Amino acid sequence: MSDLRATLQAGLQSLQLELGAAQVDQLLDFVGLLQKWNKVYNLTSVRDPADMMTHHLLDSLAVVRPLLKQVGERPIRLLDVGSGGGLPGVVIAIACPQIEVTCVDTVAKKAAFIQQVAATLRLSNLRGLHARVETLNALSGPAYDVVSARAFASLLDFTRWSREALGPGGVWMAMKGKHPGDELETLASEGGAVDVFHVEPLTVPGLEAERCIVWMRPAPQSVA
């Protein structure tokens, strides 16, 4: 665990994130929960805790500063779609206690795992939801300021399926690997319903792989 702590603290410094000791402990405890429950729930194909730290935790922590740059420090509601083992949703909930995070997944055991994490780590701003994102709309509860996804689906499907969950002025935050040029072309060919306003490169400490965030919002309705 001391090696994981050192890797995490070095990563936080590289990412210019200042987290308290309790938040660092929560992140390490989350890795422990992932490792424990992964044996039963098959939450991730990554088994080694050191790889979990770089491929999952630091990868998810890399979005925190860009996210706060978009939304500021104000309290917001974030929906993490196809969250699986809670990435990046749980990490955002730990790093940003002012953000209310809902992790939605179609697999009941994965949503249950998020609920377990929220209870164990005492994260009052985190909940797991077993549902299809397409069913979430204004009738199912308050809309979300940010809808995020990490390796979930194509940009077209992600925005189509989650459109009704996005509130007024809300944005989509799609975590991708390489710059998704083909997906962006497909999205643009669908009548311009989505405005891609920024493709932001990410550098993940200890991970030699391309990463980026595709920031999107619903395009303004054209005036006849």
Side-chain angles (χ1 to χ4, degrees), residues 16-61:
Q16 299 181 331
L17 289 176
E18 295 183 9
L19 300 186
Q23 290 168 297
V24 170
D25 287 343
Q26 285 176 319
L27 288 168
L28 291 170
D29 288 344
F30 175 48
V31 173
L33 290 169
L34 260 181
Q35 190 180 14
K36 174 184 176 181
W37 289 97
N38 199 36
K39 298 172 184 175
V40 181
Y41 283 174
N42 194 29
L43 300 166
T44 170
S45 60
V46 178
R47 306 290 179 183
D48 182 69
D51 289 338
M52 285 183 177
M53 179 58 68
T54 53
H55 289 68
H56 289 337
L57 254 72
L58 293 178
D59 189 59
S60 295
L61 284 165

Side-chain angles (χ1 to χ4, degrees), residues 30 33-34 37 40-44 79-87 89-90 101-120 123 126-133 136:
F30 175 48
L33 290 169
L34 260 181
W37 289 97
V40 181
Y41 283 174
N42 194 29
L43 300 166
T44 170
L79 179 69
D80 190 27
V81 179
S83 189
L87 302 157
V90 170
V101 178
T102 298
C103 295
V104 61
D105 204 283
T106 57
V107 180
K109 63 185 180 181
K110 293 181 178 179
F113 170 72
I114 301 300
Q115 290 290 82
Q116 181 67 43
V117 170
T120 303
L123 294 169
L126 173 69
R127 74 172 182 135
L129 178 63
H130 175 220
R132 298 188 68 84
V133 66
L136 303 182

Side-chain angles (χ1 to χ4, degrees), residues 140-163:
S140 61
Y144 294 89
D145 304 288
V146 178
V147 177
S148 68
R150 176 179 180 266
F152 168 65
S154 70
L155 296 174
L156 179 61
D157 287 341
F158 169 49
T159 53
R160 274 182 174 174
W161 294 341
S162 62
R163 176 64 186 89

